């Protein structure tokens, strides 16, 4: 089949895209089927042109087949979202730039001289862990009677609090510049996503409660075992509680499982009732049963009426055999 030349199409191998800018329908298709058929035919021709252009590029052989290097794209595709704003530098980044400190990448695994094994630099079972030091060397500045392990733990807590304070300060600076991370914006319901609208200057009571509730329910227990602040109300349960049927069947709520099963079966039977039920036969059986019931009622009514009516026939005297003969003989 003859394929149109590449001259008729605009081929962008960088994006693996091709289109015909001069295409026009010769006549309006009479039906939708003709329209779809013509579009598929023209699309097949464009794909064939892209394939021919790909095979014309220089290739290298590989065990999976020929490989080609695509040229840079020529068509600029528009972005769906605007370009993100540059984040403001943190205090450490400003200090490192001022002092000329360059960040270098550190290895994640470090050799631990105390245990003689390779361990992680940070996290669980890390190198130079405080738990691996059963003995601490005393210093001249240590006060007598002071627990060095408790002192080390207190200093660690202070360092963590200082880091948290710096992190919050960096978030405040990012909020002023409008470059808060998206996961923090989603956690706070009052703060919008970047590029939608300006963030409010002050959060109200309800917004703060929503943010606190979102943070509380993010734990594994849903905030059940978290410590409550004085005056803090418990988080409202959002959604519906799950209801389970009882294990033992009974006459009350225990019969719900049976009713639920019957309801499902009735729905399934109702969908295919035209295939299962013979309507003519069912109507005939109904009429026969109705006629039998009517006849039975008429028979019962006639028997009861005959019992209530008085018997007008005269009673015949019963004559014993041999009684007349005995009288005559006397």
């Amino acid at each position: 089949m003859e394929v149109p030349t590449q001259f008729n199409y605009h081929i962008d191998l960088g994006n693996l895209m091709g289109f015909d800018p001069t295409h026009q329908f010769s006549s309006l298709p009479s039906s939708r089927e003709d329209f779809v058929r013509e579009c598929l035919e023209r699309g097949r021709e464009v794909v064939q042109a892209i394939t021919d252009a790909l095979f014309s590029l220089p290739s290298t052989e590989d065990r999976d087949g020929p490989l080609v290097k695509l040229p840079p794209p020529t068509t600029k595709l528009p972005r769906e979202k605007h370009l993100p704003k540059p984040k403001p530098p943190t205090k450490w980044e400003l200090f490192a730039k001022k002092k000329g400190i360059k960040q270098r990448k550190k290895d994640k695994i470090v050799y631990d001289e105390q245990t003689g094994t390779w361990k992680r630099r940070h996290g669980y079972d890390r190198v130079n862990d405080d738990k691996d030091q059963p003995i601490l060397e005393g210093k001249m500045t240590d006060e007598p009677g002071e627990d060095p392990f408790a002192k080390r733990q207190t200093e660690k807590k202070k360092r963590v609090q200082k880091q948290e304070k710096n992190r919050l300060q960096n978030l405040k600076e990012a909020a002023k510049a409008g470059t808060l991370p998206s996961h923090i914006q989603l956690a706070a319901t009052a703060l919008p996503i970047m590029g939608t609208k300006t963030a409010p200057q002050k959060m109200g009571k309800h917004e703060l409660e929503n943010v606190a509730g979102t943070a509380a329910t993010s734990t594994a227990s849903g905030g059940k075992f978290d410590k409550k602040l004085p005056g803090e109300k418990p988080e409202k349960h959002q959604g519906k509680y799950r209801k389970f049927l009882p294990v033992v069947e009974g006459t009350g709520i225990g019969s719900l499982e049976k009713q639920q099963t019957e309801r499902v079966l009735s729905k399934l039977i109702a969908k295919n009732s035209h295939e299962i039920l013979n309507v003519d036969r069912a109507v005939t059986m109904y009429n026969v049963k109705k006629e039998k019931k009517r006849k039975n009622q008429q028979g019962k009514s006639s028997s009861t009426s005959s019992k209530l009516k008085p018997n007008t026939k005269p009673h015949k005297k019963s004559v014993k055999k041999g009684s007349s003969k005995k009288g005559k003989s006397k």
Side-chain angles (χ1 to χ4, degrees):
M1 183 180 292
E2 184 180 357
V3 181
T5 59
Q6 191 175 351
F7 182 77
N8 298 332
Y9 302 104
H10 286 180
I11 305 298
D12 183 6
L13 292 179
N15 293 322
L16 292 178
M17 182 180 66
F19 60 94
D20 185 4
T22 61
H23 174 261
Q24 292 182 356
F25 289 104
S26 58
S27 61
L28 190 65
S30 59
S31 62
R32 183 176 179 81
E33 288 76 10
D34 297 340
F35 176 74
V36 172
R37 190 183 304 108
E38 187 171 353
C39 290
L40 290 176
E41 182 66 22
R42 187 50 60 97
R44 186 195 62 79
E45 295 175 357
V46 174
V47 172
Q48 185 64 45
I50 296 175
T51 307
D52 295 341
L54 281 175
F55 277 92
S56 64
L57 295 176
S59 61
T60 57
E61 292 296 331
D62 189 70
R63 65 177 184 177
D64 297 329
L67 297 177
V68 296
K69 185 178 180 181
L70 297 178
T74 57
T75 304
K76 294 183 178 180
L77 300 177
R79 288 176 56 92
E80 183 183 1
K81 303 293 183 181
H82 62 86
L83 289 173
K85 298 179 181 179
K87 296 181 181 179
T90 61
K91 284 187 176 181
W92 166 249
E93 291 175 351
L94 293 175
F95 176 78
K97 185 178 180 180
K98 182 179 179 181
K99 296 294 182 179
I101 302 174
K102 295 182 179 180
Q103 186 179 4
R104 58 186 179 86
K105 189 175 181 180
K106 298 181 181 180
D107 297 332
K108 294 183 179 180
I109 305 297
V110 185
Y111 182 76
D112 189 4
E113 297 180 355
Q114 296 182 2
T115 59
T117 56
W118 293 88
K119 291 187 176 182
R120 301 183 183 91
R121 184 181 294 274
H122 305 287
Y124 175 74
D125 196 17
R126 61 184 179 274
V127 67
N128 297 329
D129 194 359
D130 296 341
K131 298 179 181 179
D132 296 338
Q133 299 178 1
I135 300 175
L136 295 179
E137 184 179 357
K139 300 179 181 179
M140 297 297 295
T141 56
D142 293 343
E143 297 181 2
E146 185 179 12
D147 188 1
F149 295 97
K151 181 181 178 181
R152 184 177 60 179
Q153 193 70 16
T154 304
E155 292 176 354
K156 182 179 179 181
K157 288 183 179 180
K158 290 181 179 179
R159 291 197 304 270
V160 172
Q161 292 177 358
K162 184 179 179 180
Q163 291 176 0
E164 184 65 18
K165 182 179 178 181
N166 295 337
R167 187 183 71 86
L168 295 177
Q169 186 65 28
N170 293 333
L171 289 178
K172 288 181 180 179
E173 296 296 332
K176 292 179 181 179
T179 58
L180 269 179
S182 58
H183 64 280
I184 296 179
Q185 294 183 11
L186 290 174
T189 54
L191 298 178
I193 301 298
M194 291 184 297
T196 55
K197 59 180 180 179
T198 57
Q201 298 295 330
K202 187 177 180 180
M203 297 177 65
K205 178 181 177 181
H206 298 288
E207 287 78 7
L208 290 173
E209 289 180 354
N210 292 336
V211 173
T214 304
T217 54
S218 62
T219 58
S221 61
K224 183 178 180 181
F225 303 103
D226 294 345
K227 293 183 180 179
K228 302 293 182 182
L229 297 175
E232 183 180 0
K233 296 181 180 179
E235 176 64 19
K236 296 181 180 179
H237 179 77
Q238 297 179 358
K240 297 181 180 179
Y241 288 96
R242 296 181 62 186
K243 295 182 180 179
F244 299 94
L245 296 175
V247 179
V248 182
E249 184 179 358
T251 56
I253 195 173
S255 61
L256 291 178
E257 185 176 0
K258 183 178 180 181
Q259 296 177 5
Q260 185 177 1
T261 307
E262 292 178 352
R263 196 180 302 114
V264 173
L265 289 176
S266 61
K267 287 183 179 180
L268 293 175
I269 294 173
K271 289 182 180 179
N272 302 323
S273 60
H274 61 283
E275 300 177 359
I276 300 174
L277 181 63
N278 191 347
V279 180
D280 297 336
R281 186 177 179 183
V283 171
T284 304
M285 291 177 64
Y286 175 77
N287 293 334
V288 170
K289 288 182 179 180
K290 189 176 181 181
E291 186 67 22
K292 286 183 179 181
K293 187 176 180 180
R294 186 179 62 81
K295 288 182 179 180
N296 292 336
Q297 289 179 354
Q298 286 182 356
K300 289 180 181 180
S301 61
S302 61
S303 62
T304 52
S305 60
S306 62
K307 290 180 181 180
L308 294 175
K309 288 182 180 180
N311 192 0
T312 55
K313 294 181 180 181
H315 294 281
K316 293 183 179 180
K317 293 182 179 180
S318 59
V319 180
K320 293 182 180 181
K321 293 183 180 181
S323 61
S324 58
K325 293 181 181 180
K326 289 181 181 180
K328 290 180 181 180
S329 62
K330 290 181 180 178

